[in-house]
Amino acid sequence: MKILVCISHVPDTTSKINFTDNDTKFDTNGVQFVINPNDEFGLTRAMWFKEKQGATVHVVNVGGAETEPTLRKALAIGADEAIRVDAEATDGFSVAKQLANVVKEGGYDLVLGGRESIDYNGGMVPGMIAQLTGANFVNTCISLEIEGDTATAIREIDGGKETVKAKLPLVVGGQKGIVEESDLRIPNMRGIMQARKKPLTVKDAVDANAETQTAQFEKPAPKGDIKLVETVDELVDLLHNEAKVI
Amino acid sequence: MSVVVYTESEEGKFKKIAQEAVSYAKGIADKMGTPVTAVTINGGDTSELGKYGADKVLNVSNDKLDKFNAEAYADAVAQAAKKEGAKVVVVSSSANSKYMAPLLAVNLDAGYVPNVTELPESTEPFKVKHSVFTNKAFSITEFKTDVKIVGLAKNAYGVKENEAAGTAEDFAPELSSEDFSVDVVSVDKATDKVTIADAEIVVSGGRGLKGPENWEMIEEMADILGAATACSKPVSDMGWRPHSEHVGQTGKPVAANLYIAIGISGAIQHLAGINASKTKVVINNDPEAPFFKNADYGIVGDAFEIVPKLNEKLKEFKAQNG
Ligand SMILES: Cc1cc2nc3c(=O)[nH]c(=O)nc-3n(C[C@H](O)[C@H](O)[C@H](O)COP(=O)(O)OP(=O)(O)OC[C@H]3O[C@@H](n4cnc5c(N)ncnc54)[C@H](O)[C@@H]3O)c2cc1C
């Protein structure tokens, strides 16, 4: 089984979000980048398929050279090879088109992405890859088993879950649950040394115009001061008469 | 040329997000001077949609679509959008809509922007404001495509009444067996519980509650308020509560009218995920907890003293106010 894990290179969850160039660009100054948490759950599940079912695992990112340390980290966690498509990741649809091309050329059986990336929260790349390549698609996946050419997956839905079966090739939008938090791996020294020697191929981008474009960023209005109260009577009164939410 | 809006229903009743989506579609349609067409799939009584501004309702009734199936639904909505010559398609932010929308975008070769919080600031060029960086910022984004899919954030625009004809018309999309290649084997859904996605009020507990045995008072409060229960990440990681209750940047987003945080410190990742909620209340015994800088109302004190008292007061209040 050939697995491709899509890795989004995103600001660490504690990052301060600021913008430059008249609020048209994200300010990367002092920001630490990490593997998108939802993608890391998928990557960890891929390691399980590698170790238990002999799968080959490639990781891919669409982005500039600055994203390579994130790909190296994925290699240190255990992926066999990395691919970077040399294109600016401007919008979800164009990124999906780049990735769909990698999927077609590589003949992958399983593509693991995240439910959404924590930077632009688009939540569209895995679904678009599936539709562009004609593969099946399962989103918000919290359990994934593969036997032969058939996948059994559990998908989180609003208020419950749903079990689905689908044939490979399959694209999955993963999240916590596909593996547990405690299954996540911190690369060890040996992994880091090995990662330096593993192939990281830079691929030229295919033509794919952005379908949407950020014109301007805005920060939310600053929060007003909190009202501290002493008693539950005051609280219930304020929630009813002032906030009007009960 | 109408604005097409996909309306979700459950057991023959339209969801609040469907009412909101139609209200919003009406807002866009007014700006563009076009009518609104709602699409419903096995939706039951469609007359209600007229109230929020739907001029026409395309009614798909098909047993095969009884269970949600992203590909088949995307195909049906795409065919409806093409039939109507739609330039704008509105969907909601439910798990199902977020599953379907990317497929729909490919089917229609349309740009897709999710988490949109307001009416477009202009329709030529078509620019929308949407939340990014998990509510830490907004982006004004311009569509470059002829057809545009707008994913409306929950509880951002609101339900607005705007009487229109709501004329129902049967619509039978052509579906192929490929549309059903992801086979839904079983659905396991608690029907008696309010979901975090649909809840107006969410009561959430953190590590300050010390252990799973102390959640009774949280569930009691949720019961009294008709609220959903939620928790912080470590609480679900430790198995005190199910993962499905984990809210925050890496868990479920919350955009409720009221979010009550009990024994939660207010870490940046937690706040990001719940910040779209309108009113936030914090109960915490540490006055330095960062949540106090992010909430509207707060009580500094021991949750084990305050929550039982608050539950009594809320019961009394509900008895008087219905
Ligand atoms: C990559 C990443 C992603 C993350 N994503 C999320 C996420 O999505 N959601 C999330 O929640 N967290 C997330 N976190 C974790 C986050 O950083 C915090 O660790 C977590 O939110 C803390 O949970 P808590 O507030 O329940 O616990 P704590 O931080 O331990 O806070 C417990 C609070 O309870 C109070 N308390 C104690 N006893 C009482 C009492 N008797 N009465 C009242 N109050 C009391 C304490 O004063 C304290 O403020 C993430 C972290 C990382 C690194």
Side-chain angles (χ1 to χ4, degrees):
Chain A
M1 180 167 50
K2 268 187 93 176
I3 302 178
L4 182 69
V5 185
C6 306
I7 302 282
S8 184
H9 162 88
V10 299
D12 167 52
T13 54
T14 56
S15 305
K16 294 266 174 291
I17 305 301
N18 290 308
F19 303 101
T20 59
D21 296 37
N22 285 325
D23 287 336
T24 58
K25 282 208 168 63
F26 175 60
D27 184 359
T28 56
N29 215 337
V31 170
Q32 201 185 339
F33 283 84
V34 295
I35 299 175
N36 180 48
N38 289 314
D39 306 349
E40 195 174 346
F41 291 114
L43 175 63
T44 310
R45 188 64 190 154
M47 289 301 105
W48 189 92
F49 289 124
K50 175 178 154 140
E51 286 154 15
K52 303 283 185 268
Q53 300 188 346
T56 317
V57 178
H58 294 179
V59 290
V60 64
N61 166 266
V62 177
E66 72 283 359
T67 71
E68 288 189 5
T70 300
L71 283 173
R72 288 277 175 215
K73 182 172 175 210
L75 292 172
I77 287 172
D80 301 299
E81 283 184 33
I83 302 161
R84 176 171 69 79
V85 180
D86 193 24
E88 203 186 334
T90 48
D91 75 312
F93 212 148
S94 68
V95 168
K97 284 179 183 164
Q98 300 297 346
L99 292 171
N101 183 52
V102 173
V103 172
K104 280 183 199 151
E105 286 187 4
Y108 294 96
D109 306 294
L110 176 65
V111 179
L112 289 164
R115 175 195 72 189
E116 68 171 28
S117 62
I118 60 167
D119 50 3
Y120 295 102
N121 311 117
M124 65 183 86
V125 170
M128 286 173 168
I129 297 173
Q131 202 71 340
L132 289 166
T133 61
N136 288 320
F137 175 49
V138 176
N139 204 14
T140 53
C141 180
I142 52 171
S143 161
L144 179 65
E145 304 287 345
I146 312 254
E147 241 182 75
D149 66 348
T150 306
T152 305
I154 301 179
R155 174 172 92 86
E156 188 171 58
I157 57 176
D158 290 332
K161 50 193 164 186
E162 180 177 282
T163 305
V164 302
K165 270 193 193 304
K167 289 254 186 284
L168 304 181
L170 174 72
V171 181
V172 167
Q175 61 181 44
K176 187 170 88 171
I178 196 167
V179 299
E180 294 303 315
E181 183 81 16
S182 54
D183 296 325
L184 296 180
R185 302 174 182 197
I186 297 160
N188 57 22
M189 211 47 214
R190 192 161 147 261
I192 293 167
M193 298 298 285
Q194 281 175 342
R196 289 191 191 146
K197 294 192 209 106
K198 288 180 180 172
L200 191 164
T201 314
V202 179
K203 248 175 101 68
D204 286 337
V206 292
D207 266 345
N209 293 333
E211 312 237 320
T212 60
Q213 191 176 44
T214 296
Q216 185 94 41
F217 288 108
E218 274 176 21
K219 296 279 279 279
K223 178 106 199 64
D225 280 345
I226 186 168
K227 270 195 189 160
L228 286 179
V229 298
E230 302 278 333
T231 67
V232 298
D233 292 34
E234 280 172 86
L235 181 61
V236 171
D237 179 59
L238 286 166
L239 291 178
H240 182 58
N241 292 314
E242 189 176 85
K244 300 192 189 331
V245 287
I246 61 170
Chain B
M1 273 293 282
S2 60
V3 172
V4 161
V5 50
Y6 167 57
T7 51
E8 286 167 76
S9 55
E10 200 163 70
E11 289 165 9
K13 261 195 77 187
F14 287 101
K15 294 185 149 206
K16 188 180 162 205
I17 50 169
Q19 301 169 350
E20 218 174 341
V22 176
S23 308
Y24 179 82
K26 172 69 178 164
I28 294 185
D30 281 350
K31 281 190 164 227
M32 297 175 73
T34 60
V36 175
T37 303
V39 182
T40 88
I41 298 178
N42 298 344
D45 181 10
T46 54
S47 60
E48 175 193 338
L49 298 177
K51 199 158 83 191
Y52 309 105
D55 297 287
K56 181 158 101 184
V57 182
L58 290 180
N59 203 354
V60 179
S61 320
N62 185 333
D63 289 347
K64 282 206 243 159
L65 299 176
D66 266 350
K67 283 188 205 137
F68 177 81
N69 183 305
E71 203 162 348
Y73 274 49
D75 199 0
V77 176
Q79 288 177 41
K82 282 182 186 154
K83 172 180 142 67
E84 294 296 297
K87 298 288 180 224
V88 179
V89 179
V90 175
V91 300
S92 82
S93 290
S94 69
N96 285 352
S97 275
K98 286 201 164 178
Y99 188 4
M100 177 189 76
L103 308 180
L104 184 62
V106 174
N107 290 351
L108 294 172
D109 199 12
Y112 164 47
V113 176
N115 308 318
V116 172
T117 53
E118 293 175 9
L119 282 178
E121 70 176 42
S122 75
T123 56
E124 269 174 71
F126 200 93
K127 283 189 192 172
V128 289
K129 180 170 169 176
H130 59 114
S131 67
V132 290
F133 296 97
T134 325
N135 297 312
K136 289 180 203 163
F138 294 98
S139 168
I140 314 284
T141 295
E142 181 181 333
F143 281 91
K144 300 286 186 189
T145 47
D146 184 36
V147 180
K148 301 139 190 98
I149 301 176
V150 182
L152 179 64
K154 186 199 156 196
N155 215 3
Y157 185 72
V159 175
K160 299 194 164 71
E161 293 199 6
N162 220 321
E163 200 67 41
T167 316
E169 199 177 286
D170 286 334
F171 177 62
E174 279 175 41
L175 301 173
S176 72
S177 60
E178 273 174 33
D179 282 329
F180 299 92
S181 56
V182 174
D183 180 28
V184 182
V185 184
S186 63
V187 181
D188 174 9
K189 196 168 168 167
T191 44
D192 55 335
K193 276 196 86 178
V194 185
T195 68
I196 293 173
D198 291 332
E200 310 264 342
I201 302 178
V202 173
V203 183
S204 190
R207 195 147 57 180
L209 290 173
K210 311 283 191 274
E213 66 281 6
N214 297 324
W215 245 262
E216 232 168 78
M217 60 184 188
I218 302 294
E219 288 185 332
E220 188 185 4
M221 189 185 297
D223 245 15
I224 301 166
L225 292 170
T229 49
C231 68
S232 66
K233 177 169 175 286
V235 164
S236 74
D237 287 343
M238 291 182 294
W240 294 0
R241 300 296 292 175
H243 285 321
S244 55
E245 288 197 2
H246 160 199
V247 297
Q249 191 163 13
T250 55
K252 283 204 175 63
V254 181
N257 284 337
L258 173 60
Y259 182 78
I260 304 178
I262 302 165
I264 299 176
S265 58
I268 186 164
Q269 299 95 347
H270 185 89
L271 295 174
I274 61 95
N275 248 342
S277 298
K278 302 239 158 87
T279 299
K280 284 155 273 189
V281 173
V282 54
I283 299 171
N284 193 309
N285 62 3
D286 173 11
E288 300 298 318
F291 218 126
F292 284 107
K293 292 205 170 60
N294 266 280
D296 302 284
Y297 303 104
I299 300 185
V300 179
D302 183 354
F304 297 98
E305 252 173 58
I306 293 162
V307 174
K309 278 194 212 153
L310 182 55
N311 284 349
E312 285 316 306
K313 182 69 200 170
L314 285 169
K315 265 191 240 164
E316 214 177 277
F317 169 81
K318 283 283 168 186
Q320 282 164 13
N321 296 269

